Amino acid sequence: MSDTPETPDATATTPETADDDGSGDREAYADLGATTEAAMDIAETSMDRVHELVPQETLADRLRAKSVHATGDPEFQHLVRFTGADESEPVRAGARAVLDERPIVTDITMVKAGITGRGHDCAVRKAIGNGAELAAETGMTRTAAAVLELDREGVYDDAIAVVGNAPTAALALADCIEDGTRPAVVVATPVGFVKAADSRERLREVCAAHDVPAVTNVGRRGGSGLAAGLTNELVHVASDAREGEVCVATSERSSGEGAEPRDGEGEIDL
């Protein structure tokens, strides 16, 4: 459950440009990080197989497909949960946040490392490394203290808040939202046998109560790779919206109207 000790780094970073070819400030989104012809062929073939297993009717289905690809488990699509006016609202909210260049804030280094540097101009930073004094004073976990410290600085308001590893970070984020913090969207998939499922359940309840769009999952599974993959799909949706291929406008439906249909009943505007 713990991450590798590291030197505290409280500074935000911009998307990595190690593969920049000089064609512009924002590189085109490359799914799964593939850039060569062979890599793109593998990525596309892989997603084609996933799409044979997962419906592609809504924006929410895109995150279901990404969860299957990230875990290698077709059944994982049934474990993803969406909190919002409808199932696709967290996807739209996340894509809008990407287009607005809001920061992406992860709990640990591993999740941050998995966030693509292509297709967006969002600053990407990690919580871990902050709040060391608070952790020492209170005895709380480093990740929980880090989330609380960044929240004190106002970092999470309007940000894409991502928790991929630490249940205590998810619980701390839930407390922050309950106290008034409003991320643009939450992606939370902390993994493990202790507090993981409970932390995600609490986060879902708090996000629903305070109208914060969220993507979570049920059960013990999850992890950094899944959280990064789901976040990267938000970037992909934003890239498609930028090209006019999908619509990420705010839903006109109210939160009391139920879940978005998936069986062809009703009109779905992607």
Side-chain angles (χ1 to χ4, degrees):
M1 295 295 295
S2 62
D3 52 286
T4 304
E6 59 189 358
T7 301
D9 178 8
T11 60
T13 58
T14 55
E16 296 177 8
T17 57
D19 297 324
D20 195 351
D21 58 6
S23 59
D25 293 336
R26 182 195 300 115
E27 295 184 83
Y29 179 86
D31 197 20
L32 308 179
T35 57
T36 66
E37 183 176 351
M40 287 300 297
D41 181 63
I42 292 171
E44 291 171 2
T45 300
S46 180
M47 288 309 299
D48 285 345
R49 293 180 180 177
V50 170
H51 292 160
E52 293 174 359
L53 302 168
V54 184
Q56 290 296 284
E57 300 169 3
T58 70
L59 290 177
D61 286 334
R62 289 182 59 158
L63 264 67
R64 290 188 177 97
K66 183 61 69 172
S67 75
V68 169
H69 188 271
T71 61
D73 181 4
E75 296 304 311
F76 206 94
Q77 63 182 299
H78 306 300
L79 304 181
V80 184
R81 297 291 183 268
F82 302 92
T83 303
D86 57 64
E87 285 193 329
S88 291
E89 177 55 24
V91 190
R92 291 191 295 267
R96 291 195 301 270
V98 171
L99 293 173
D100 290 341
E101 300 179 12
R102 303 308 305 166
I104 300 171
V105 187
T106 71
D107 56 336
I108 66 166
T109 307
M110 186 180 295
V111 185
K112 178 178 180 288
I115 303 297
T116 181
R118 297 170 177 270
H120 69 93
D121 291 321
C122 301
V124 183
R125 65 182 301 174
K126 59 190 177 184
I128 192 71
N130 295 274
E133 291 184 5
L134 180 61
E137 292 172 0
T138 64
M140 68 175 63
T141 67
R142 291 189 304 146
T143 48
V147 169
L148 295 178
E149 181 64 28
L150 289 190
D151 185 61
R152 289 177 181 176
E153 299 173 12
V155 171
Y156 282 105
D157 279 313
D158 298 318
I160 300 169
V162 187
V163 180
N165 178 270
T168 56
L171 290 169
L173 182 61
D175 289 344
C176 295
I177 293 171
E178 205 164 47
D179 290 340
T181 299
R182 294 294 178 266
V185 67
V186 171
V187 177
T189 62
V191 62
F193 292 86
V194 179
K195 296 184 179 182
D198 292 341
S199 70
R200 285 185 257 108
E201 182 178 5
R202 170 159 166 70
L203 198 49
R204 279 192 297 275
E205 292 174 351
V206 170
C207 286
H210 296 282
D211 297 321
V212 175
V215 182
T216 60
N217 67 285
V218 297
R220 294 186 297 267
R221 291 182 289 175
S224 299
L226 175 61
L230 295 174
T231 305
N232 288 344
E233 188 61 21
L234 298 180
V235 174
H236 196 177
V237 173
S239 295
D240 288 346
R242 194 180 291 117
E243 297 298 321
E245 297 179 10
V246 299
C247 175
V248 294
T250 303
S251 172
E252 295 180 355
R253 300 180 58 185
S254 68
S255 59
E257 289 187 292
E260 187 176 46
R262 296 187 63 202
D263 57 3
E265 297 181 2
E267 183 177 352
I268 303 299
D269 182 9
L270 297 183

